[in-house]
mmCIF file of all heavy atoms in Angstrom:
data_model
loop_
_atom_site.group_PDB
_atom_site.id
_atom_site.type_symbol
_atom_site.label_atom_id
_atom_site.label_comp_id
_atom_site.label_asym_id
_atom_site.label_seq_id
_atom_site.Cartn_x
_atom_site.Cartn_y
_atom_site.Cartn_z
ATOM 1 N N THR A 3 3.335 1.261 -2.483
ATOM 2 C CA THR A 3 2.259 1.757 -1.643
ATOM 3 C C THR A 3 1.545 0.601 -0.946
ATOM 4 O O THR A 3 1.223 -0.399 -1.570
ATOM 5 C CB THR A 3 1.241 2.547 -2.488
ATOM 6 O OG1 THR A 3 1.913 3.611 -3.143
ATOM 7 C CG2 THR A 3 0.120 3.101 -1.634
ATOM 8 N N VAL A 4 1.283 0.770 0.334
ATOM 9 C CA VAL A 4 0.494 -0.187 1.114
ATOM 10 C C VAL A 4 -0.686 0.590 1.685
ATOM 11 O O VAL A 4 -0.507 1.632 2.309
ATOM 12 C CB VAL A 4 1.320 -0.825 2.251
ATOM 13 C CG1 VAL A 4 0.449 -1.727 3.108
ATOM 14 C CG2 VAL A 4 2.500 -1.593 1.681
ATOM 15 N N VAL A 5 -1.890 0.088 1.445
ATOM 16 C CA VAL A 5 -3.103 0.746 1.918
ATOM 17 C C VAL A 5 -3.689 -0.088 3.056
ATOM 18 O O VAL A 5 -3.921 -1.289 2.893
ATOM 19 C CB VAL A 5 -4.139 0.892 0.783
ATOM 20 C CG1 VAL A 5 -5.414 1.526 1.301
ATOM 21 C CG2 VAL A 5 -3.554 1.673 -0.374
ATOM 22 N N ILE A 6 -3.903 0.542 4.202
ATOM 23 C CA ILE A 6 -4.472 -0.127 5.363
ATOM 24 C C ILE A 6 -5.807 0.541 5.680
ATOM 25 O O ILE A 6 -5.870 1.758 5.837
ATOM 26 C CB ILE A 6 -3.528 -0.046 6.581
ATOM 27 C CG1 ILE A 6 -2.190 -0.704 6.244
ATOM 28 C CG2 ILE A 6 -4.160 -0.689 7.807
ATOM 29 C CD1 ILE A 6 -1.117 -0.488 7.279
ATOM 30 N N THR A 7 -6.865 -0.272 5.756
ATOM 31 C CA THR A 7 -8.175 0.263 6.119
ATOM 32 C C THR A 7 -8.696 -0.497 7.329
ATOM 33 O O THR A 7 -8.410 -1.679 7.503
ATOM 34 C CB THR A 7 -9.189 0.138 4.956
ATOM 35 O OG1 THR A 7 -9.284 -1.218 4.558
ATOM 36 C CG2 THR A 7 -8.775 0.990 3.777
ATOM 37 N N LEU A 8 -9.451 0.199 8.135
ATOM 38 C CA LEU A 8 -10.034 -0.369 9.354
ATOM 39 C C LEU A 8 -11.496 0.065 9.398
ATOM 40 O O LEU A 8 -11.787 1.262 9.322
ATOM 41 C CB LEU A 8 -9.266 0.156 10.561
ATOM 42 C CG LEU A 8 -9.463 -0.515 11.899
ATOM 43 C CD1 LEU A 8 -9.034 -1.975 11.832
ATOM 44 C CD2 LEU A 8 -8.660 0.202 12.959
ATOM 45 N N LYS A 9 -12.404 -0.919 9.489
ATOM 46 C CA LYS A 9 -13.838 -0.615 9.484
ATOM 47 C C LYS A 9 -14.564 -1.482 10.493
ATOM 48 O O LYS A 9 -14.141 -2.597 10.778
ATOM 49 C CB LYS A 9 -14.443 -0.880 8.100
ATOM 50 C CG LYS A 9 -13.922 0.019 7.023
ATOM 51 C CD LYS A 9 -14.598 -0.275 5.709
ATOM 52 C CE LYS A 9 -14.069 0.668 4.638
ATOM 53 N NZ LYS A 9 -14.728 0.458 3.355
ATOM 54 N N VAL A 16 -12.778 -4.954 11.024
ATOM 55 C CA VAL A 16 -12.112 -5.564 9.874
ATOM 56 C C VAL A 16 -10.939 -4.689 9.457
ATOM 57 O O VAL A 16 -11.099 -3.492 9.204
ATOM 58 C CB VAL A 16 -13.098 -5.743 8.697
ATOM 59 C CG1 VAL A 16 -12.386 -6.330 7.489
ATOM 60 C CG2 VAL A 16 -14.264 -6.628 9.114
ATOM 61 N N CYS A 17 -9.771 -5.302 9.394
ATOM 62 C CA CYS A 17 -8.552 -4.627 8.960
ATOM 63 C C CYS A 17 -8.134 -5.229 7.630
ATOM 64 O O CYS A 17 -8.019 -6.446 7.497
ATOM 65 C CB CYS A 17 -7.437 -4.815 9.998
ATOM 66 S SG CYS A 17 -5.878 -4.051 9.502
ATOM 67 N N ARG A 18 -7.921 -4.368 6.669
ATOM 68 C CA ARG A 18 -7.511 -4.808 5.328
ATOM 69 C C ARG A 18 -6.167 -4.183 5.001
ATOM 70 O O ARG A 18 -5.982 -2.973 5.155
ATOM 71 C CB ARG A 18 -8.570 -4.375 4.327
ATOM 72 C CG ARG A 18 -8.309 -4.813 2.930
ATOM 73 C CD ARG A 18 -9.486 -4.422 2.067
ATOM 74 N NE ARG A 18 -9.072 -4.433 0.681
ATOM 75 C CZ ARG A 18 -9.881 -4.341 -0.323
ATOM 76 N NH1 ARG A 18 -11.170 -4.194 -0.114
ATOM 77 N NH2 ARG A 18 -9.426 -4.364 -1.545
ATOM 78 N N VAL A 19 -5.220 -5.003 4.571
ATOM 79 C CA VAL A 19 -3.882 -4.539 4.191
ATOM 80 C C VAL A 19 -3.673 -4.936 2.737
ATOM 81 O O VAL A 19 -3.695 -6.122 2.402
ATOM 82 C CB VAL A 19 -2.782 -5.158 5.087
ATOM 83 C CG1 VAL A 19 -1.410 -4.661 4.660
ATOM 84 C CG2 VAL A 19 -3.044 -4.844 6.553
ATOM 85 N N GLU A 20 -3.487 -3.932 1.886
ATOM 86 C CA GLU A 20 -3.412 -4.164 0.444
ATOM 87 C C GLU A 20 -2.153 -3.535 -0.133
ATOM 88 O O GLU A 20 -1.819 -2.396 0.189
ATOM 89 C CB GLU A 20 -4.654 -3.543 -0.207
ATOM 90 C CG GLU A 20 -4.696 -3.640 -1.692
ATOM 91 C CD GLU A 20 -5.945 -2.965 -2.263
ATOM 92 O OE1 GLU A 20 -6.677 -2.282 -1.510
ATOM 93 O OE2 GLU A 20 -6.172 -3.115 -3.458
ATOM 94 N N ASP A 21 -1.462 -4.301 -0.979
ATOM 95 C CA ASP A 21 -0.319 -3.730 -1.695
ATOM 96 C C ASP A 21 -0.521 -3.939 -3.194
ATOM 97 O O ASP A 21 -1.452 -4.607 -3.620
ATOM 98 C CB ASP A 21 1.011 -4.329 -1.215
ATOM 99 C CG ASP A 21 1.235 -5.768 -1.638
ATOM 100 O OD1 ASP A 21 0.726 -6.189 -2.700
ATOM 101 O OD2 ASP A 21 1.944 -6.482 -0.918
ATOM 102 N N HIS A 22 0.337 -3.330 -3.963
ATOM 103 C CA HIS A 22 0.271 -3.444 -5.420
ATOM 104 C C HIS A 22 1.588 -3.998 -5.941
ATOM 105 O O HIS A 22 2.082 -3.580 -6.977
ATOM 106 C CB HIS A 22 -0.035 -2.081 -6.041
ATOM 107 C CG HIS A 22 -1.307 -1.498 -5.535
ATOM 108 N ND1 HIS A 22 -2.539 -1.919 -5.967
ATOM 109 C CD2 HIS A 22 -1.550 -0.562 -4.588
ATOM 110 C CE1 HIS A 22 -3.481 -1.252 -5.333
ATOM 111 N NE2 HIS A 22 -2.912 -0.430 -4.484
ATOM 112 N N THR A 80 -1.362 -8.056 -3.395
ATOM 113 C CA THR A 80 -1.934 -8.977 -2.417
ATOM 114 C C THR A 80 -2.760 -8.194 -1.408
ATOM 115 O O THR A 80 -2.396 -7.086 -1.033
ATOM 116 C CB THR A 80 -0.801 -9.731 -1.688
ATOM 117 O OG1 THR A 80 -0.001 -10.409 -2.660
ATOM 118 C CG2 THR A 80 -1.345 -10.740 -0.687
ATOM 119 N N THR A 81 -3.863 -8.808 -0.960
ATOM 120 C CA THR A 81 -4.709 -8.206 0.065
ATOM 121 C C THR A 81 -4.950 -9.218 1.173
ATOM 122 O O THR A 81 -5.409 -10.337 0.911
ATOM 123 C CB THR A 81 -6.061 -7.759 -0.515
ATOM 124 O OG1 THR A 81 -5.825 -6.819 -1.563
ATOM 125 C CG2 THR A 81 -6.932 -7.123 0.563
ATOM 126 N N PHE A 82 -4.628 -8.832 2.405
ATOM 127 C CA PHE A 82 -4.939 -9.624 3.586
ATOM 128 C C PHE A 82 -6.103 -8.932 4.289
ATOM 129 O O PHE A 82 -6.086 -7.711 4.468
ATOM 130 C CB PHE A 82 -3.739 -9.695 4.533
ATOM 131 C CG PHE A 82 -2.626 -10.561 4.032
ATOM 132 C CD1 PHE A 82 -1.606 -10.029 3.279
ATOM 133 C CD2 PHE A 82 -2.613 -11.927 4.293
ATOM 134 C CE1 PHE A 82 -0.579 -10.831 2.797
ATOM 135 C CE2 PHE A 82 -1.600 -12.732 3.825
ATOM 136 C CZ PHE A 82 -0.573 -12.175 3.072
ATOM 137 N N THR A 83 -7.121 -9.706 4.669
ATOM 138 C CA THR A 83 -8.274 -9.165 5.373
ATOM 139 C C THR A 83 -8.447 -9.934 6.680
ATOM 140 O O THR A 83 -8.565 -11.163 6.672
ATOM 141 C CB THR A 83 -9.555 -9.282 4.519
ATOM 142 O OG1 THR A 83 -9.322 -8.647 3.259
ATOM 143 C CG2 THR A 83 -10.731 -8.639 5.225
ATOM 144 N N MET A 84 -8.415 -9.193 7.793
ATOM 145 C CA MET A 84 -8.513 -9.784 9.132
ATOM 146 C C MET A 84 -9.759 -9.232 9.808
ATOM 147 O O MET A 84 -9.994 -8.019 9.793
ATOM 148 C CB MET A 84 -7.273 -9.410 9.932
ATOM 149 C CG MET A 84 -7.300 -9.876 11.364
ATOM 150 S SD MET A 84 -5.798 -9.452 12.271
ATOM 151 C CE MET A 84 -5.820 -7.674 12.219
#
Side-chain angles (χ1 to χ4, degrees):
T3 302
V4 175
V5 178
I6 301 171
T7 56
L8 194 61
K9 295 182 179 182
V16 178
C17 178
R18 183 175 161 169
V19 180
E20 177 182 9
D21 71 29
H22 302 283
T80 303
T81 301
F82 288 91
T83 305
M84 176 179 62

